Amino acid sequence: MRILMVMPYRQFLGQARAEGFSTVALWDPALESPGYLREVAAGAEAYLTTDFGDTAGLRRVVAETAAKHRVERIVHLGREETMLPVAEEAERLGLAANPSRAVARLNDKSLLRRLLAEHGLSPVEVRRFDTSDQVRSALGELTLPVVAKPTALAGSRGVRLISGPADLAAWERSLAGYGYRGPVLVEEYLRGPEYSVETLSAEGRHQLVGITAKEVTAPPTFVETAHTHPAPLPAADERAMAELVTRMLDAAGHRFGPVHTEVVLTGAGPRVVESQTRLGGGRIPLLVQLSRGYDLERAVFAALAGRLEPAGPARGVARIEFFDFRPGTVVSVSGVEQAGALPFVHELSVPFEPGGQVPVTVDAKTRHGHVVVTAPDVGAAVERCAQVRQLIRLETR
C-alpha cells in the first residue's frame, strides 16, 4: 500500500517501509533544517514540499499528490496544528485512516471539553472566551485560581495559573509573544499528580500502551521537567485512567493511530487535561521502548495495517530529565562527554556552545536539553539523573 505522510519525522519512513508501505512525504521546508529534510527525502519514494500555513494550498497539494501517486491512505503524525485540514481532505478523497471529526474533537481543547461534558466524563468547570480580552473583563466573576490556556497551542505554550491581575497580564504578554489571538479556555485548577496516557488504536480498537508520570514546574507555568515510564501507580488508578481515556476515544469516534492524553489524578478521580492525536513528546516513545522493549513508532504502522501489537510488561524504568541552566551567554561547557559515557545514559542533549545563549524556559521549545537513563526502579533512575547533572557544568554570564 502506498501512503501519503504529511510531516513525517525521518524515522517514520523506515518504520513504514518495514511494515510493507511505500511512502510519499510532504513537508514544509520552513519547519525543519535542510539537512533533516534531505534525510526525509532520501527515505521516501517521493518527496514534496509546500507551505503548511496556506491551508487551501495544503489541501490542494494533498489532493493532487494523492491522485498523481495513486495513494491509498493519507496520514498526518506530526504537529497537530495542520492535522485537521489534512484529515478533512483525506476524508473528502475517501483516503482517511481516521475521521476528521475525531481529530477535531481530540485536538481542539474547547471541543474536547464539550465532548467530555456531553458524555459525563471527567467533569471540569470551564468557560470559553473568544479572546483573552474577554477574560480580563470577566476576571471578577471567576473563582481564582484558574488555569488559562489557548485552545490551539501545544507544548505548554500559553498555559498559566491565574491568581490575580498580575498573572493575567503576564499571560496576555505570553499569548502576544506567540502571536495568538484566538479562543481561550479558563478552567478550574486541578490539583494532583500529572500523568500522560499513551494509547494506540486500529480500526476502532484501542490499546493502552502505558502511563508516564510527569513532573512540571511550579505554578504559574506548567512546563514539564521530567517523565518516568512506567508510572509507579496502584493498579486501580491505572485502570481508572485507562478506562477514562478509552471512553473518551470511543466518544470522539477515534479509529486509528496514537493518542497522547494528559491526566491529573485528583482526589475525586482522574481528570483529562487535554489530548492530541499524535505520539507523546518529550521522548516518551523512547522511554516506552527502553522500559518495555516496545517500538511504539513502528507499532503505529502495524496499526495502520490493522494489527494491534501488545506492549507487554515493563522490564525496568526509563526516565528523562530536562536541564535547567542559568539563562545568559554561555562561557563554558564541560562534562558532557563524561556524562554521555555512563552505561545507563541512552541519550544526552546539551545544545549549547561558548558564545551561545541559554534562554529562559517558558515552554517545551525553550527547555535546555535533556538526559535519558534506565534503571531498575524509580529511585535509582532519579539518582542516575542526579549523577549526570553533577558531571555537567555550564557557565553563563
Side-chain angles (χ1 to χ4, degrees):
M1 178 186 291
R2 180 173 293 127
I3 59 175
L4 169 59
M5 298 176 67
V6 180
M7 206 178 193
Y9 300 127
R10 54 193 170 193
Q11 69 271 22
F12 289 173
L13 298 160
Q15 290 154 340
R17 265 198 321 275
E19 289 296 330
F21 296 101
S22 61
T23 57
V24 179
L26 178 63
W27 256 95
D28 183 338
L31 299 180
E32 266 298 349
S33 68
Y36 187 98
L37 295 181
R38 279 195 293 272
E39 292 185 44
V40 171
E45 180 181 300
Y47 169 73
L48 304 92
T49 62
T50 193
D51 177 5
F52 287 2
D54 177 3
T55 300
L58 173 60
R59 294 184 65 148
R60 183 175 61 254
V61 170
V62 165
E64 292 172 352
T65 303
K68 178 180 178 180
H69 293 276
R70 299 181 180 179
V71 164
E72 297 175 70
R73 281 287 183 274
I74 298 171
V75 294
H76 189 324
L77 300 171
R79 302 170 203 164
E80 56 264 37
E81 289 89 347
T82 52
M83 280 185 180
L84 185 56
V86 171
E88 290 173 339
E89 191 62 26
E91 198 166 50
R92 186 186 72 82
L93 297 169
L95 303 175
N98 207 25
S100 63
R101 192 178 185 189
V103 174
R105 285 172 158 183
L106 292 172
N107 285 353
D108 185 291
K109 297 177 180 64
S110 181
L111 293 180
L112 178 61
R113 280 283 174 241
R114 186 184 308 168
L115 174 77
L116 292 168
E118 288 172 354
H119 288 80
L121 299 172
S122 184
V124 172
E125 293 183 12
V126 59
R127 288 182 62 179
R128 182 186 184 279
F129 297 91
D130 292 331
T131 67
S132 61
D133 293 339
Q134 293 178 354
V135 179
R136 176 169 289 279
S137 301
L139 188 63
E141 306 169 10
L142 303 175
T143 302
L144 302 178
V146 292
V147 175
K149 60 177 71 172
T151 64
L153 292 180
S156 304
R157 291 179 292 168
V159 179
R160 191 176 183 93
L161 184 71
I162 295 180
S163 301
D167 293 325
L168 178 62
W171 177 63
E172 290 172 329
R173 289 194 297 272
S174 72
L175 293 185
Y178 294 122
Y180 185 83
R181 298 177 179 83
V184 297
L185 297 183
V186 175
E187 302 179 351
E188 68 173 287
Y189 178 31
L190 299 174
R191 293 171 171 84
E194 296 192 25
Y195 301 90
S196 71
V197 181
E198 313 307 321
T199 55
L200 184 59
S201 304
E203 299 176 347
R205 295 171 290 122
H206 314 304
Q207 171 182 281
L208 173 68
V209 173
I211 298 176
T212 304
K214 300 169 60 177
E215 297 166 31
V216 299
T217 55
T221 57
F222 299 90
V223 183
E224 294 165 7
T225 59
H227 300 151
T228 302
H229 189 93
L233 273 170
D237 289 336
E238 182 172 320
R239 284 195 301 270
M241 281 191 267
E243 180 183 357
L244 170 61
V245 172
T246 299
R247 292 177 65 189
M248 177 192 74
L249 297 178
D250 282 337
H254 180 75
R255 293 193 56 78
F256 158 75
V259 174
H260 169 71
T261 305
E262 298 174 8
V263 175
V264 170
L265 188 56
T266 73
R271 297 292 184 265
V272 172
V273 176
E274 59 186 59
S275 189
Q276 295 90 28
T277 54
R278 57 165 173 78
L279 292 164
R283 304 299 281 139
I284 287 177
L286 176 60
L287 302 186
V288 170
Q289 186 164 14
L290 290 172
S291 62
R292 297 181 183 273
Y294 183 74
D295 189 339
L296 176 54
E297 293 176 344
R298 179 166 174 175
V300 169
F301 297 99
L304 186 60
R307 304 192 319 277
L308 275 181
E309 299 177 347
R315 301 173 299 197
V317 166
R319 178 176 171 88
I320 183 171
E321 286 193 7
F322 299 97
F323 298 126
D324 185 21
F325 301 117
R326 189 179 69 173
T329 302
V330 179
V331 176
S332 64
V333 184
S334 62
V336 177
E337 289 187 9
Q338 186 180 0
L342 294 171
F344 50 77
V345 171
H346 295 268
E347 189 171 276
L348 179 62
S349 171
V350 182
F352 301 110
E353 297 179 350
Q357 292 294 315
V358 177
V360 175
T361 299
V362 295
D363 54 29
K365 291 187 176 180
T366 50
R367 290 183 298 213
H368 301 163
H370 63 265
V371 61
V372 175
V373 306
T374 52
D377 54 52
V378 176
V382 172
E383 290 176 1
R384 288 177 174 182
C385 286
Q387 186 175 341
V388 170
R389 289 178 180 274
Q390 289 172 356
L391 289 172
I392 295 175
R393 293 286 180 269
L394 190 146
E395 292 185 41
T396 59
R397 58 175 169 78

